[in-house]
Amino acid sequence: MAQAWLLESPAHSACLLATGLAWDEEMRARIERHQHDRAERVPGMRTLEVPLDLAGAVRAHSQPGCLLVIDCLTMWLTNWMMPMPGQPPRSQDWAAQRAGFLAALAEAPGPVVLVGNEIGLGVIPLGREVRAFVDALGMLNQQVAAVCSHATLMCAGLPWSSRALD
């Protein structure tokens, strides 16, 4: 989508707001692989690391000619609900962060593409913390879809369904 956007007009720009944090060697390698793949697929798209303040980043970088790609909502929620060891807990601030992000998204003057995972389609997890995370992500996905012009569920890299929201 970002590549097509950039090819539409020389006046267009694209910016990825990356939410993942490299908390271990595997995640560092994963982030590096994503950066390399992105540079090959979508040259010209800049990347900003935004693990926590998505609302501020949307407000600062959304413009009519700039496509924002947010990857991903699941990692953003993880950063808030399950901070890395040694970091202070942040889950008490989650409701305010989510509300601020939804408002920034609704007010964004430019196009925004959001990536997130649907993890509530399987077995109900046994652990209380995991169930709370699944519920919080499901609520976030619903609330984001409600302020977007359309939502598409991807399955195996293909659009499963798409709907316009009234």
Side-chain angles (χ1 to χ4, degrees):
M1 293 174 85
Q3 185 180 46
W5 171 261
L6 289 170
L7 291 173
E8 278 182 18
S9 168
H12 283 176
S13 64
C15 180
L16 175 80
L17 303 180
T19 62
L21 289 171
W23 56 78
D24 60 23
E25 195 52 45
E26 186 276 334
M27 190 63 172
R28 273 188 270 293
R30 180 180 296 264
I31 289 170
E32 287 176 18
R33 185 178 71 247
H34 283 229
Q35 290 170 337
H36 180 265
D37 292 347
R38 219 173 18 254
E40 285 186 359
R41 282 193 324 267
V42 191
M45 181 166 68
R46 65 190 169 117
T47 299
L48 300 172
E49 294 182 7
V50 186
L52 296 171
D53 188 15
L54 272 184
V58 169
R59 285 191 173 99
H61 299 286
S62 182
Q63 301 170 14
C66 180
L67 172 70
L68 293 183
V69 178
I70 297 174
D71 190 5
C72 85
L73 295 177
T74 309
M75 291 304 301
W76 180 54
L77 177 62
T78 300
N79 296 339
W80 276 99
M81 291 188 75
M82 295 178 263
M84 290 185 283
Q87 292 185 328
R90 294 188 272 269
S91 61
Q92 70 274 11
D93 298 322
W94 169 243
Q97 287 297 318
R98 182 184 62 218
F101 172 67
L102 292 168
L105 190 59
E107 298 163 3
V112 181
V113 172
L114 300 128
V115 177
N117 302 98
E118 175 51 69
I119 62 173
L121 297 174
V123 176
I124 297 170
L126 294 177
R128 177 175 46 96
E129 292 85 5
V130 178
R131 283 193 305 273
F133 181 85
V134 171
D135 290 346
L137 183 59
M139 183 60 65
L140 176 62
N141 287 340
Q142 290 174 38
Q143 291 172 329
V144 164
V147 299
C148 293
S149 63
H150 64 277
T152 302
L153 176 65
M154 300 295 290
C155 183
L158 301 172
W160 181 266
S161 66
S162 183
R163 65 181 173 95
L165 299 174
D166 297 325

